[in-house]
Amino acid sequence: MPILTRWFLKAALVYLVLALCAGILLALPGETLISGLFPVYIHTLAFGWLTQLIFGVALWMFPKYSSAQPRGHEWLGWATFILLNIGLTLRVIFEPLHGISPSTFSSWMLVIAAVLQWLSGLAFVANTWTRVKEK
Amino acid sequence: MPRLSVYYIRASLVYLALGFTFGGLLLANKGVMFLPAIWAFLPIHIEFSFVGWMVQLAMGVAFWILPRFPVQPIRGDERLSWLAFFMMNLGIWFIVLQIATQVEWLTFIGRVLELLGVGLFAVGNWKRIKPLGS
Protein backbone atom coordinates (compact mmCIF):
# COMPACT_ATOMS: atom_id res chain seq x y z
CA MET A 1 0.00 0.00 0.00
CA PRO A 2 1.53 3.37 -1.01
CA ILE A 3 2.45 5.80 1.76
CA LEU A 4 -0.07 8.39 0.56
CA THR A 5 -2.87 5.81 0.71
CA ARG A 6 -1.92 5.06 4.31
CA TRP A 7 -2.18 8.77 5.15
CA PHE A 8 -5.59 8.99 3.45
CA LEU A 9 -6.94 5.92 5.25
CA LYS A 10 -5.64 6.90 8.69
CA ALA A 11 -6.97 10.46 8.31
CA ALA A 12 -10.31 8.96 7.18
CA LEU A 13 -10.47 6.89 10.38
CA VAL A 14 -9.74 9.97 12.49
CA TYR A 15 -12.61 11.82 10.78
CA LEU A 16 -14.92 8.86 11.36
CA VAL A 17 -14.20 9.09 15.09
CA LEU A 18 -14.71 12.89 15.01
CA ALA A 19 -17.99 12.46 13.12
CA LEU A 20 -19.32 10.02 15.68
CA CYS A 21 -18.28 12.37 18.52
CA ALA A 22 -20.20 15.18 16.77
CA GLY A 23 -23.14 12.78 16.46
CA ILE A 24 -23.07 12.17 20.21
CA LEU A 25 -23.01 15.93 20.91
CA LEU A 26 -25.98 16.40 18.57
CA ALA A 27 -27.89 13.64 20.35
CA LEU A 28 -27.51 15.19 23.82
CA PRO A 29 -30.89 16.00 25.39
CA GLY A 30 -32.14 19.54 24.94
CA GLU A 31 -31.35 22.01 22.19
CA THR A 32 -27.71 22.05 21.21
CA LEU A 33 -25.95 25.39 21.56
CA ILE A 34 -23.67 24.70 18.63
CA SER A 35 -25.69 25.61 15.52
CA GLY A 36 -22.96 24.76 12.99
CA LEU A 37 -22.44 21.24 14.30
CA PHE A 38 -24.90 19.38 12.08
CA PRO A 39 -23.16 20.29 8.80
CA VAL A 40 -19.83 19.41 10.46
CA TYR A 41 -21.26 16.00 11.39
CA ILE A 42 -22.50 15.35 7.83
CA HIS A 43 -19.28 16.52 6.16
CA THR A 44 -16.88 14.72 8.48
CA LEU A 45 -18.83 11.55 7.68
CA ALA A 46 -19.37 12.00 3.92
CA PHE A 47 -16.19 13.91 3.10
CA GLY A 48 -13.66 13.30 5.85
CA TRP A 49 -14.45 9.60 6.17
CA LEU A 50 -16.13 8.21 3.03
CA THR A 51 -14.69 10.42 0.29
CA GLN A 52 -11.20 10.38 1.82
CA LEU A 53 -11.35 6.59 2.11
CA ILE A 54 -12.35 6.39 -1.58
CA PHE A 55 -9.53 8.78 -2.57
CA GLY A 56 -6.97 6.64 -0.77
CA VAL A 57 -8.18 3.31 -2.13
CA ALA A 58 -8.57 4.68 -5.68
CA LEU A 59 -5.01 6.01 -5.60
CA TRP A 60 -3.87 2.52 -4.63
CA MET A 61 -6.10 0.25 -6.76
CA PHE A 62 -6.98 2.06 -9.99
CA PRO A 63 -5.08 1.08 -13.16
CA LYS A 64 -1.55 2.44 -13.34
CA TYR A 65 -1.00 5.78 -15.09
CA SER A 66 2.30 4.52 -16.58
CA SER A 67 5.10 2.20 -15.55
CA ALA A 68 7.27 5.20 -14.64
CA GLN A 69 4.48 7.01 -12.80
CA PRO A 70 2.09 4.28 -11.66
CA ARG A 71 -0.01 6.62 -9.51
CA GLY A 72 0.04 9.64 -11.77
CA HIS A 73 1.54 12.88 -10.56
CA GLU A 74 2.61 12.28 -6.97
CA TRP A 75 2.46 15.99 -6.14
CA LEU A 76 -1.20 16.14 -7.19
CA GLY A 77 -1.98 13.24 -4.87
CA TRP A 78 -0.26 14.97 -1.96
CA ALA A 79 -1.90 18.27 -2.86
CA THR A 80 -5.29 16.52 -2.71
CA PHE A 81 -4.52 15.14 0.75
CA ILE A 82 -3.16 18.38 2.21
CA LEU A 83 -5.86 20.66 0.72
CA LEU A 84 -8.65 18.31 1.83
CA ASN A 85 -7.45 17.98 5.39
CA ILE A 86 -6.55 21.63 5.98
CA GLY A 87 -9.85 22.70 4.37
CA LEU A 88 -11.96 20.27 6.37
CA THR A 89 -10.15 21.01 9.64
CA LEU A 90 -10.82 24.74 9.16
CA ARG A 91 -14.46 23.90 8.56
CA VAL A 92 -14.69 21.69 11.66
CA ILE A 93 -13.24 24.51 13.81
CA PHE A 94 -14.85 27.59 12.31
CA GLU A 95 -18.32 26.50 11.23
CA PRO A 96 -19.51 25.91 14.82
CA LEU A 97 -17.58 29.00 16.03
CA HIS A 98 -19.22 31.07 13.30
CA GLY A 99 -22.59 29.70 14.42
CA ILE A 100 -21.97 30.78 18.03
CA SER A 101 -20.22 34.10 17.47
CA PRO A 102 -19.79 35.26 13.85
CA SER A 103 -16.77 37.44 13.14
CA THR A 104 -14.93 38.69 10.09
CA PHE A 105 -12.13 36.25 10.86
CA SER A 106 -14.42 33.21 11.08
CA SER A 107 -16.22 34.36 7.90
CA TRP A 108 -13.02 34.39 5.90
CA MET A 109 -11.83 31.12 7.43
CA LEU A 110 -14.99 29.51 6.04
CA VAL A 111 -14.26 30.99 2.61
CA ILE A 112 -10.69 29.64 2.75
CA ALA A 113 -12.02 26.23 3.90
CA ALA A 114 -14.42 26.21 0.93
CA VAL A 115 -11.70 27.05 -1.59
CA LEU A 116 -9.24 24.47 -0.20
CA GLN A 117 -11.83 21.66 -0.23
CA TRP A 118 -12.94 22.59 -3.74
CA LEU A 119 -9.32 22.56 -4.97
CA SER A 120 -8.75 19.14 -3.35
CA GLY A 121 -11.65 17.71 -5.37
CA LEU A 122 -10.33 19.19 -8.60
CA ALA A 123 -6.81 17.89 -7.88
CA PHE A 124 -8.16 14.38 -7.30
CA VAL A 125 -10.20 14.46 -10.53
CA ALA A 126 -7.21 15.77 -12.51
CA ASN A 127 -4.90 13.04 -11.17
CA THR A 128 -7.42 10.20 -11.47
CA TRP A 129 -9.09 10.91 -14.82
CA THR A 130 -6.41 9.35 -17.03
CA ARG A 131 -6.05 6.33 -14.72
CA VAL A 132 -9.68 5.41 -15.43
CA LYS A 133 -9.10 3.55 -18.67
CA GLU A 134 -9.91 0.36 -20.51
CA LYS A 135 -7.45 -2.50 -20.22
CA MET B 1 -11.25 -2.04 -16.53
CA PRO B 2 -14.28 -2.60 -18.83
CA ARG B 3 -15.56 0.28 -20.94
CA LEU B 4 -18.78 0.61 -18.94
CA SER B 5 -16.81 1.04 -15.70
CA VAL B 6 -14.80 3.79 -17.39
CA TYR B 7 -18.09 5.55 -18.21
CA TYR B 8 -19.47 5.10 -14.69
CA ILE B 9 -16.29 6.22 -12.92
CA ARG B 10 -15.56 9.16 -15.22
CA ALA B 11 -19.17 10.31 -14.86
CA SER B 12 -18.77 10.03 -11.08
CA LEU B 13 -15.62 12.20 -11.29
CA VAL B 14 -17.57 14.84 -13.20
CA TYR B 15 -20.26 14.79 -10.50
CA LEU B 16 -17.55 14.99 -7.83
CA ALA B 17 -16.23 18.19 -9.42
CA LEU B 18 -19.76 19.61 -9.77
CA GLY B 19 -20.78 18.57 -6.25
CA PHE B 20 -17.63 20.11 -4.75
CA THR B 21 -18.20 23.32 -6.75
CA PHE B 22 -21.74 23.75 -5.40
CA GLY B 23 -20.57 22.72 -1.92
CA GLY B 24 -17.71 25.23 -2.02
CA LEU B 25 -20.05 28.01 -3.11
CA LEU B 26 -22.50 27.16 -0.32
CA LEU B 27 -19.82 27.14 2.38
CA ALA B 28 -18.16 30.32 1.11
CA ASN B 29 -21.57 31.99 1.01
CA LYS B 30 -22.08 30.97 4.63
CA GLY B 31 -18.88 32.83 5.51
CA VAL B 32 -19.29 35.90 3.31
CA MET B 33 -22.80 36.13 1.91
CA PHE B 34 -22.61 37.12 -1.74
CA LEU B 35 -25.68 35.36 -3.14
CA PRO B 36 -28.44 34.43 -0.65
CA ALA B 37 -30.39 32.60 -3.37
CA ILE B 38 -27.56 30.04 -3.64
CA TRP B 39 -29.17 28.01 -0.82
CA ALA B 40 -31.66 26.80 -3.42
CA PHE B 41 -28.76 24.77 -4.84
CA LEU B 42 -28.32 22.69 -1.69
CA PRO B 43 -30.40 19.76 -3.10
CA ILE B 44 -28.23 19.82 -6.26
CA HIS B 45 -25.08 19.64 -4.12
CA ILE B 46 -26.52 16.63 -2.28
CA GLU B 47 -27.72 14.91 -5.47
CA PHE B 48 -24.39 15.33 -7.29
CA SER B 49 -22.29 14.37 -4.25
CA PHE B 50 -24.30 11.37 -3.12
CA VAL B 51 -25.98 9.78 -6.15
CA GLY B 52 -23.75 11.20 -8.88
CA TRP B 53 -20.41 10.70 -7.14
CA MET B 54 -20.65 7.99 -4.47
CA VAL B 55 -23.39 5.70 -5.76
CA GLN B 56 -22.21 5.83 -9.35
CA LEU B 57 -18.56 5.26 -8.39
CA ALA B 58 -19.59 2.20 -6.38
CA MET B 59 -21.57 0.84 -9.35
CA GLY B 60 -18.66 1.38 -11.73
CA VAL B 61 -16.14 -0.30 -9.44
CA ALA B 62 -18.56 -3.17 -8.68
CA PHE B 63 -19.08 -3.82 -12.41
CA TRP B 64 -15.28 -3.96 -12.79
CA ILE B 65 -14.27 -6.13 -9.83
CA LEU B 66 -17.17 -8.47 -9.06
CA PRO B 67 -16.32 -12.11 -9.91
CA ARG B 68 -16.74 -12.90 -13.61
CA PHE B 69 -18.23 -15.98 -15.25
CA PRO B 70 -15.83 -18.53 -16.76
CA VAL B 71 -17.54 -18.33 -20.18
CA GLN B 72 -18.85 -15.43 -22.28
CA PRO B 73 -20.51 -13.15 -21.46
CA ILE B 74 -18.10 -12.92 -18.53
CA ARG B 75 -19.96 -10.01 -16.91
CA GLY B 76 -23.45 -11.33 -17.56
CA ASP B 77 -25.97 -9.40 -19.62
CA GLU B 78 -24.13 -6.09 -19.92
CA ARG B 79 -27.13 -4.43 -21.58
CA LEU B 80 -28.84 -4.17 -18.18
CA SER B 81 -25.86 -2.39 -16.64
CA TRP B 82 -25.59 -0.05 -19.65
CA LEU B 83 -29.28 0.79 -19.37
CA ALA B 84 -28.79 1.36 -15.63
CA PHE B 85 -26.03 3.88 -16.42
CA PHE B 86 -28.27 5.92 -18.72
CA MET B 87 -31.23 5.77 -16.32
CA MET B 88 -29.15 6.88 -13.32
CA ASN B 89 -27.79 9.86 -15.19
CA LEU B 90 -31.12 10.80 -16.72
CA GLY B 91 -32.64 10.56 -13.24
CA ILE B 92 -30.04 12.90 -11.75
CA TRP B 93 -30.66 15.52 -14.44
CA PHE B 94 -34.45 15.29 -14.08
CA ILE B 95 -33.96 16.15 -10.39
CA VAL B 96 -31.65 19.04 -11.24
CA LEU B 97 -34.21 20.27 -13.78
CA GLN B 98 -36.90 20.22 -11.10
CA ILE B 99 -34.79 22.45 -8.86
CA ALA B 100 -34.20 24.84 -11.75
CA THR B 101 -37.81 24.92 -13.00
CA GLN B 102 -39.77 24.13 -9.79
CA VAL B 103 -41.91 21.61 -11.72
CA GLU B 104 -42.51 19.11 -8.90
CA TRP B 105 -43.19 15.93 -10.85
CA LEU B 106 -39.73 16.06 -12.43
CA THR B 107 -38.21 14.90 -9.13
CA PHE B 108 -40.70 12.02 -9.02
CA ILE B 109 -39.66 10.93 -12.53
CA GLY B 110 -36.00 11.38 -11.61
CA ARG B 111 -36.32 9.20 -8.52
CA VAL B 112 -38.21 6.50 -10.48
CA LEU B 113 -35.47 6.51 -13.13
CA GLU B 114 -32.80 6.17 -10.43
CA LEU B 115 -34.71 3.31 -8.83
CA LEU B 116 -35.09 1.53 -12.17
CA GLY B 117 -31.40 2.10 -12.86
CA VAL B 118 -30.29 0.59 -9.56
CA GLY B 119 -32.81 -2.26 -9.99
CA LEU B 120 -31.52 -3.11 -13.48
CA PHE B 121 -27.95 -2.98 -12.20
CA ALA B 122 -28.81 -5.33 -9.33
CA VAL B 123 -30.55 -7.80 -11.67
CA GLY B 124 -27.70 -7.63 -14.20
CA ASN B 125 -25.02 -8.35 -11.62
CA TRP B 126 -26.89 -10.45 -9.05
CA LYS B 127 -25.38 -13.78 -10.10
CA ARG B 128 -21.86 -12.31 -10.11
CA ILE B 129 -22.03 -12.11 -6.33
CA LYS B 130 -20.64 -15.61 -5.85
CA PRO B 131 -17.57 -17.47 -4.63
CA LEU B 132 -14.50 -17.10 -6.86
CA GLY B 133 -14.15 -19.83 -9.48
CA SER B 134 -17.76 -21.04 -9.34
Side-chain angles (χ1 to χ4, degrees):
Chain A
M1 186 186 286
I3 188 166
L4 180 52
T5 294
R6 280 182 266 155
W7 278 91
F8 269 121
L9 301 194
K10 287 181 177 175
L13 286 170
V14 170
Y15 276 113
L16 176 60
V17 171
L18 284 176
L20 297 179
C21 290
I24 289 169
L25 285 177
L26 285 166
L28 286 174
E31 198 174 329
T32 178
L33 295 172
I34 308 171
S35 67
L37 201 59
F38 183 70
V40 165
Y41 170 61
I42 295 294
H43 285 89
T44 44
L45 261 187
F47 189 46
W49 159 239
L50 272 178
T51 295
Q52 187 151 226
L53 187 82
I54 292 168
F55 282 7
V57 173
L59 184 93
W60 174 28
M61 303 289 281
F62 273 14
K64 290 180 173 57
Y65 176 72
S66 69
S67 52
Q69 286 179 292
R71 294 188 171 84
H73 302 284
E74 290 272 333
W75 69 271
L76 263 179
W78 282 102
T80 304
F81 176 78
I82 292 164
L83 290 165
L84 188 160
N85 284 286
I86 294 176
L88 190 54
T89 302
L90 287 177
R91 178 178 203 158
V92 166
I93 295 168
F94 288 100
E95 198 165 17
L97 281 180
H98 192 70
I100 298 165
S101 171
S103 66
T104 307
F105 184 68
S106 65
S107 299
W108 283 102
M109 284 297 112
L110 288 184
V111 173
I112 292 169
V115 172
L116 295 180
Q117 290 175 91
W118 176 63
L119 287 174
S120 78
L122 297 190
F124 177 77
V125 172
N127 201 32
T128 308
W129 188 267
T130 45
R131 291 184 61 191
V132 180
K133 57 188 177 185
E134 283 186 74
K135 194 174 179 183
Chain B
M1 184 183 289
R3 178 170 297 178
L4 180 55
S5 288
V6 173
Y7 276 65
Y8 268 115
I9 296 171
R10 285 197 170 170
S12 80
L13 291 174
V14 170
Y15 287 116
L16 169 69
L18 290 172
F20 272 41
T21 301
F22 281 106
L25 288 171
L26 286 163
L27 183 60
N29 190 67
K30 195 172 198 175
V32 178
M33 194 171 289
F34 54 90
L35 186 62
I38 204 162
W39 285 105
F41 293 114
L42 179 62
I44 296 180
H45 166 59
I46 295 168
E47 189 69 20
F48 282 163
S49 303
F50 183 61
V51 182
W53 155 236
M54 286 189 186
V55 175
Q56 202 155 209
L57 178 85
M59 291 166 81
V61 172
F63 187 75
W64 172 32
I65 66 168
L66 281 173
R68 289 166 288 180
F69 299 114
V71 291
Q72 291 287 354
I74 57 173
R75 289 190 170 84
D77 189 350
E78 290 196 11
R79 289 173 301 180
L80 296 175
S81 298
W82 274 99
L83 201 53
F85 172 75
F86 290 114
M87 286 195 164
M88 288 292 290
N89 284 280
L90 202 57
I92 291 168
W93 286 100
F94 261 91
I95 290 161
V96 171
L97 205 58
Q98 188 275 327
I99 294 157
T101 63
Q102 298 299 310
V103 180
E104 282 180 22
W105 51 267
L106 290 175
T107 290
F108 176 77
I109 294 174
R111 294 279 178 235
V112 170
L113 285 168
E114 287 177 355
L115 174 67
L116 288 172
V118 170
L120 285 169
F121 187 85
V123 170
N125 294 281
W126 192 266
K127 290 181 179 170
R128 290 179 61 193
I129 302 170
K130 62 185 180 75
L132 278 170
S134 63

